Amino acid sequence: FIFATESYGGHYGPSFVTYFDQQNALIRDGTILGEEIIVSALMINNGWYDPLIQNQAYVDFATNAPGYGQLQTDEVIKKLNDAFYKPGGCKDQEESCYAAGNTTASNKICVDADNFCVCSRLSSDASAYDNPVVVLQIENVFVPAVGDRDSDDLRQNGSAPLFPPEYYVDFLGQATIRRSVGAEVAYSECANAPNRLFGKTGDVSRTTTFLVVRRNSDIQFFKCVRMHAHGCLNLAL
């Protein structure tokens, strides 16, 4: 069984495979009844593993992108560095999220770090962490780093038509395809329901590097040019 993911698969891929390994061990020692799922390889394309590394990469890449040079103006570069390195900035908030671990308090700490560093902010309502709603954009790191470029393909302007086209969405939605692969539910790209569950715990700001390292020999990484964790143009495999 090969577990293939991309983008946020850098988070949920290692987590799922770790869970499978743990359940397999319980099955083998007789603690629970079940059928083992043996994962022979974990594939991660354009993965989001460690937001502290990724957010710093936004700053570095905007300053000097290999093959492209400086992507943004000196003024924007200065603001990016201030937002990332200043006291209480992106770096400090991400480190606070990591230090908070999986405590109850960590949810708000990690949500706040994501709000500051990336580009979305949750409703300020007290119930936001149970039912997060995106209400505005925070132009601290991600947004100014990307600028008017397509974050999936830096060679394009952000207003360019979607590339590559998403023909696969309709393809995977066909009843015959669903039956042939044994899918029990309809395919949905970036579905809101799981996104809300990730959002209320600030999962985006948490690291899965320790899980990736644990299974490094079984992971196939793909290279791409991109500026965010939600897709990319593959350049080399």
Side-chain angles (χ1 to χ4, degrees), residues 158-218:
S159 61
L162 183 64
F163 177 82
E166 297 187 330
Y167 299 134
Y168 63 88
V169 176
D170 292 334
F171 175 77
L172 293 174
Q174 298 179 48
T176 54
I177 301 301
R178 287 175 57 187
R179 285 195 298 270
S180 67
V181 300
E184 297 181 1
V185 296
Y187 173 78
S188 178
E189 183 180 54
C190 300
N192 289 328
N195 181 59
R196 284 194 293 269
L197 294 176
F198 286 134
K200 73 178 184 179
T201 62
D203 189 68
V204 172
S205 289
R206 301 175 188 269
T207 180
T208 56
T209 304
F210 65 100
L211 295 177
V212 174
V213 170
R214 182 182 302 168
R215 290 191 61 99
N216 187 51
S217 61
D218 298 325

Side-chain angles (χ1 to χ4, degrees), residues 21-39:
D21 289 345
Q22 293 168 344
Q23 295 301 102
N24 289 342
L26 294 176
I27 292 171
R28 284 194 293 271
D29 67 18
T31 302
I32 61 174
L33 296 177
E35 184 173 342
E36 292 185 44
I37 299 177
I38 307 299
V39 180

